[in-house]
Amino acid sequence: MGMTVTEKILAAHAGKESVAPGDNIWVDVDVLMTHDVCGPGTIAIFKEQFGQNAKVWDREKVVIIPDHFIFTSDKHANRNIDILRDFVKEQDLPYYYDVGTDNYKGVCHIALAQEGHNRPGEVLFGTDSHTCTSGAFGMFSTGIGNTDAAFILGTGKIWVKVPETMRFEFTGTLPPYIMAKDILLQVIGDIGVDGATYRTMEWAGDAVYKLSMEERMTLCNMAIEAGGKNAVIEADDVTLEYVKQRTDKPYTIHHSDADAKYYFKKTYNADEMVPMVAKPHSPDNKAAVTECTDVKLDRSYIGSCTGGKLTDFVAAAKLLKGKKVVIDTFIVPATREVEEDLYKTQMDGESLADIFKNSGALMGEPSCAACLGGPKDTFGRANSNEVVISTTNRNFPGRMGSRQSQVYLSSPYTAAASALTGRITDPREFLNN
Amino acid sequence: MKKTIEGQAYVLGNDIDTDQIIPAEHLVYSLTDPEEKKNYGKFALSGVPQESAGLPDGNHAFVDDGKFESQYTILIGGKNFGCGSSREHAPACLKIAGIQAVVAESFARIFYRNSVDGGFFIPFEFQTRVVDEINTGDTILIDVEAETLTNKTSGKSYKLKSLGEVIDIIEAGNIFEYARKTGLIPR
C-alpha cells in the first residue's frame, strides 16, 4: 500500500519503513517553535520536569519568536518577554528574534518561513495552532500545548497519532480576483469546523501548484479552522526556489504515492471559485460576497499570518491606490520583512506604504496585533460593537476583542474593496474597472 | 486516578472555542505563580456569550464575581469542544477553576491532547448526543472504570466512549510520568 506525503514524513522520523493512519508513533523533532504567550509556560514545565539546570535537547533546533503581545504597556505581557530572554541567554539559543532589536521579526509562522526554518520533509512543532502554516513547504507541522513542547525541549521526541488524509484538488485556473483565502473559506464552509478533525488536509492540483509560497501558506494556515492536524502541499520548484534563498540546510522531498489511501478526496474546478466570506461567529459560516453586500461595516483589518503577507498587501494596494477608505482601515504587516517590502515595492511609481497612507488607512507594527484581540491597548482591537471585515483566521465570539463585535473573514481583495464602500463589497466591482 | 467523579454540571453548546474558554487578553498571567495563576480561574469561560453561558437557560456565571473557583466541577459540551488555539491555558484555566472532568460529544484535537498530556482532567466523550438532556446545576456522577455517566437529577445513565490508548497516559498522570513509567525518560 502506498503512503501519503504526511505518512512518509512521519515514517521517516519514526525510523519506520511505513506507517498507517491510527498508528501511535514517537517521532524525532526537527524544529520546536514557541512564542511569548506559550513560551513562559513551556519553560516552567521544562524546568519542573527536567531540572533547573537542564539543557534543551538541541539548541540548534529551538526557535523562539515573540509576536503576540509586543507593543503593549501590559506589565505581565512584557514580563513574559523577559522570561524568554533569560531562557535564551541561559541556554545560549541561536534562533531568538528579540523584541526591541533589529532582530525582531513578527508573526512566527511567517518569520519561520522567511528565516529559513521551514524545510521540505522536516517535522516542526509549535505552541500555536496555526503552526500548520508551514505545511506549505511539504513538511509535517502542527500546533501543540506547553506540556508537549516542554517534553520536546527535554527529549527531542513526541508521540503522534498518524492522521488520515483528506485530499483537496483544484483543477483549472483561479480567476484573477480569487485568492487562497477564498478557496479556504469555501472548503471550510463545505466540510465544517470539525470536518478535518485529527486529519491531514492535503492541497493539490494545477491551480494550487500555480500559487506563490505566500498564497500556499495562507491555504495551509487555516487547516486548524476545520479541526485539521496538519496541512500539506508537496514541495515543487516554487518551494525550492523560496527555500534556497533562505537556508543552506538539507531537505528531503516526499511525494504522495499514486496508490496512497485517502479518507476523502474532492476535486474543485478553480475557474468556478467566487469571492467568499465567513460570517460571524464561525469560520465555516460561509457565504458568497454577493450574498452579503447589504452588510454595513465599521472597520476593515488587513493583517496576521493569514492575511498580512506581501502578496496580501499587493492585492489590497491594487484596490486602494488613488482612492480613499470610508471606514477605519488597519494595515498590519506580519513581519518586519513584509513591512520593509511595503516601502520597497512600487505600484506605478508609488510605494505600497504610500498607497495605504494616502488612502487614509492606518499602519501598525508587525505582530499578531488584533487578530486575537489581546491587551486593551492593542492596535486595531475591537473594543465595542464594531462590525469588522478582516483577513485574519478566526471570527469566534470576542476573538478580535469585544464580545459585542462581529467579524466577517475575507480575502485581502474583499477587505480592501469593502474599505472603499463601507459595506461588504465584491472586489470585481473595482478590479474590472 | 479517581474511580468516581461527582459534582454539579455546567452545560455548554457546540464549538466552544479556546477564545471563549479563556480570552487572549488574559493569557499574560503566570501558570505557575500560585497567586497570579488564580486569575485563570477567575476568567475561565469568561468569553462565552451570555445567552449560551450555562444551558439551557444561559446567563449563569461559571465563576461568580470576585471568586476564583466555580461551584460547577463537571463541564458538559456538544461537538468540537475546545476548537481553535493550542493555548494550554484553556484546559489549565478550567482545572484552576475546579473542573474535574469535561464530557463532550466530541473534542478538537489539540485541546484533547493538552488535557491528557498535561494531566488536567479526563476528557470523556459521549457515545451519542447527550448535551441537550443535561441542565446546568444537575448532579452528575461519572464512574471512571465503568465509563458511565449518571445524571442523578434526571436519573438517566449514559455509556461513555472508551478512553482507548490514552488511558495509559491518564493513569500515569501526564505525559512525563507515562514516559518515565515506560522508560523513555529516566526517573
Side-chain angles (χ1 to χ4, degrees):
Chain A
M1 176 57 74
M3 286 193 287
T4 66
V5 57
T6 297
E7 288 156 13
K8 286 185 180 179
I9 296 168
L10 292 176
H13 285 75
K16 291 176 184 291
E17 286 281 302
S18 68
V19 295
D23 289 356
N24 280 305
I25 56 171
W26 289 89
V27 294
D28 293 321
V29 178
D30 294 308
V31 178
L32 175 74
M33 186 280 300
T34 189
H35 51 45
D36 54 305
V37 168
C38 296
T42 298
I43 292 165
I45 298 171
F46 168 72
K47 287 182 174 276
E48 180 194 328
Q49 294 292 337
F50 295 99
Q52 289 302 314
N53 299 317
K55 290 285 176 194
V56 302
W57 97 101
D58 187 338
R59 54 189 281 281
E60 291 283 332
K61 293 183 175 176
V62 180
V63 179
I64 302 186
I65 310 178
D67 61 355
H68 275 61
F69 306 152
I70 306 304
F71 303 103
T72 174
S73 59
D74 187 288
K75 69 177 185 345
H76 291 107
N78 290 321
R79 180 269 322 265
N80 289 344
I81 306 285
D82 290 335
I83 293 174
L84 297 182
R85 221 170 255 152
D86 291 346
F87 186 69
V88 165
K89 201 172 166 195
E90 168 199 307
Q91 301 280 331
D92 191 23
L93 301 179
Y95 301 116
Y96 174 55
Y97 302 101
D98 200 5
V99 180
T101 72
D102 291 345
N103 207 24
Y104 175 71
K105 299 300 171 194
V107 183
C108 58
H109 312 297
I110 309 309
L112 279 171
Q114 291 175 337
E115 300 308 312
H117 299 297
N118 287 348
R119 298 173 290 261
E122 292 203 346
V123 167
L124 183 154
F125 288 88
T127 59
D128 190 292
S129 60
H130 291 108
T131 303
C132 53
T133 309
S134 298
F137 289 77
M139 61 195 295
F140 178 85
S141 62
T142 192
I144 51 172
N146 298 351
T147 297
D148 284 346
F151 193 93
I152 293 172
L153 270 186
T155 66
K157 291 179 189 296
I158 195 69
W159 71 272
V160 175
K161 183 172 181 169
V162 178
E164 296 168 313
T165 296
M166 299 171 82
R167 186 174 164 99
F168 300 89
E169 202 165 322
F170 284 78
T171 58
T173 307
L174 288 169
Y177 46 84
I178 294 297
M179 301 188 72
K181 185 66 172 289
D182 296 302
I183 300 179
L184 262 174
L185 294 177
Q186 176 72 50
V187 169
I188 295 169
D190 287 350
I191 65 174
V193 283
D194 59 356
T197 297
Y198 281 88
R199 304 196 187 105
T200 300
M201 293 177 78
E202 182 175 304
W203 300 97
D206 288 345
V208 169
Y209 297 128
K210 277 181 212 153
L211 295 174
S212 68
M213 283 317 292
E214 289 194 339
E215 281 282 87
R216 293 183 190 191
M217 283 192 254
T218 304
L219 208 46
C220 291
N221 173 272
M222 283 179 66
I224 184 66
E225 268 59 71
K229 181 171 202 146
N230 68 311
V232 72
I233 300 171
E234 283 184 13
D236 62 5
D237 290 345
V238 176
T239 323
L240 299 190
E241 184 59 30
Y242 187 102
V243 170
K244 280 177 186 165
Q245 289 174 24
R246 313 269 172 172
T247 179
D248 299 326
K249 292 198 175 157
Y251 51 80
T252 312
I253 296 176
H254 295 281
H255 299 283
S256 290
D257 292 323
D259 62 343
K261 198 178 162 200
Y262 288 92
Y263 173 82
F264 166 103
K265 269 187 184 178
K266 184 163 179 181
T267 303
Y268 288 83
N269 182 350
D271 299 85
E272 291 172 0
M273 305 305 292
V274 296
M276 298 293 293
V277 295
K279 297 182 285 182
H281 293 282
S282 183
D284 67 351
N285 196 8
K286 72 170 174 184
V289 166
T290 50
E291 296 172 70
C292 301
T293 51
D294 56 347
V295 175
K296 283 202 173 128
L297 299 164
D298 300 303
R299 175 174 295 189
S300 176
Y301 185 98
I302 304 175
S304 83
C305 52
T306 320
K309 302 177 289 304
L310 180 61
T311 311
D312 301 312
F313 293 117
V314 168
K318 273 187 203 166
L319 289 147
L320 298 183
K321 185 170 168 60
K323 298 197 174 69
K324 294 283 182 198
V325 299
V326 300
I327 51 176
D328 293 340
T329 300
F330 296 84
I331 301 284
V332 188
T335 62
R336 282 274 185 247
E337 183 177 318
V338 174
E339 183 184 46
E340 284 161 14
D341 285 342
L342 296 186
Y343 288 90
K344 281 191 230 159
T345 309
Q346 302 271 318
M347 199 175 274
D348 299 329
E350 196 179 9
S351 75
L352 301 188
D354 283 338
I355 290 171
F356 295 139
K357 285 175 193 163
N358 293 335
S359 76
L362 302 165
M363 278 177 59
E365 298 243 42
S367 82
C368 299
C371 172
L372 77 165
K376 293 277 192 299
D377 58 353
T378 301
F379 182 77
R381 188 183 194 273
N383 287 324
S384 178
N385 59 352
E386 297 93 340
V387 181
V388 186
I389 191 153
S390 175
T391 66
T392 55
N393 41 54
R394 289 182 178 144
N395 57 350
F396 302 146
R399 169 70 178 182
M400 294 188 79
S402 163
R403 271 192 293 176
Q404 279 68 51
S405 64
Q406 294 183 59
V407 179
Y408 290 77
L409 304 177
S410 80
S411 77
Y413 272 146
T414 301
S418 304
L420 294 172
T421 63
R423 55 179 174 79
I424 293 181
T425 299
D426 193 319
R428 285 171 284 189
E429 284 186 25
F430 293 95
L431 285 168
N432 289 349
N433 289 339
Chain B
M1 195 169 72
K2 281 189 183 175
K3 287 199 166 65
T4 58
I5 301 167
E6 184 167 348
Q8 273 195 317
Y10 190 80
V11 183
L12 295 165
N14 291 334
D15 303 319
I16 297 299
D17 63 79
T18 53
D19 284 282
Q20 293 184 57
I21 297 172
I22 182 77
E25 67 190 279
H26 304 306
L27 302 179
V28 296
Y29 304 115
S30 166
L31 282 159
T32 42
D33 181 87
E35 278 307 306
E36 205 177 314
K37 78 184 225 184
K38 282 186 189 167
N39 285 301
Y40 286 109
K42 180 177 175 180
F43 295 115
L45 297 179
S46 63
V48 177
Q50 289 296 333
E51 64 273 18
S52 44
L55 296 175
D57 307 330
N59 293 300
H60 289 287
F62 176 62
V63 178
D64 290 331
D65 274 352
K67 296 277 173 59
F68 298 92
E69 282 196 36
S70 177
Q71 62 177 300
Y72 307 101
T73 54
I74 296 174
L75 265 189
I76 305 290
K79 283 196 301 180
N80 201 27
F81 191 94
C83 60
S85 151
S86 66
R87 61 186 73 155
E88 197 161 296
H89 313 67
C93 79
L94 296 177
K95 182 172 187 188
I96 293 166
I99 286 296
Q100 295 184 31
V102 180
V103 192
E105 191 177 341
S106 65
F107 285 95
R109 188 189 70 80
I110 308 178
F111 181 90
Y112 184 86
R113 194 180 162 105
N114 286 345
S115 303
V116 171
D117 282 3
F120 294 102
F121 45 73
I122 308 178
F124 284 107
E125 287 179 318
F126 288 113
Q127 293 195 345
T128 53
R129 187 171 174 87
V130 173
V131 60
D132 313 312
E133 299 177 21
I134 300 176
N135 297 329
T136 294
D138 285 358
T139 301
I140 300 295
L141 175 69
I142 299 169
D143 186 324
V144 177
E145 282 184 347
E147 297 179 321
T148 58
L149 179 146
T150 303
N151 183 346
K152 291 173 93 170
T153 306
S154 72
K156 285 188 183 172
S157 279
Y158 308 91
K159 187 82 184 135
L160 302 171
K161 278 191 189 166
S162 169
L163 290 168
E165 55 242 342
V166 300
I167 187 73
D168 296 337
I169 301 173
I170 291 169
E171 278 183 346
N174 59 45
I175 186 70
F176 295 100
E177 291 310 315
Y178 172 76
R180 288 190 183 101
K181 223 166 136 180
T182 52
L184 194 87
I185 57 176
R187 279 187 190 277

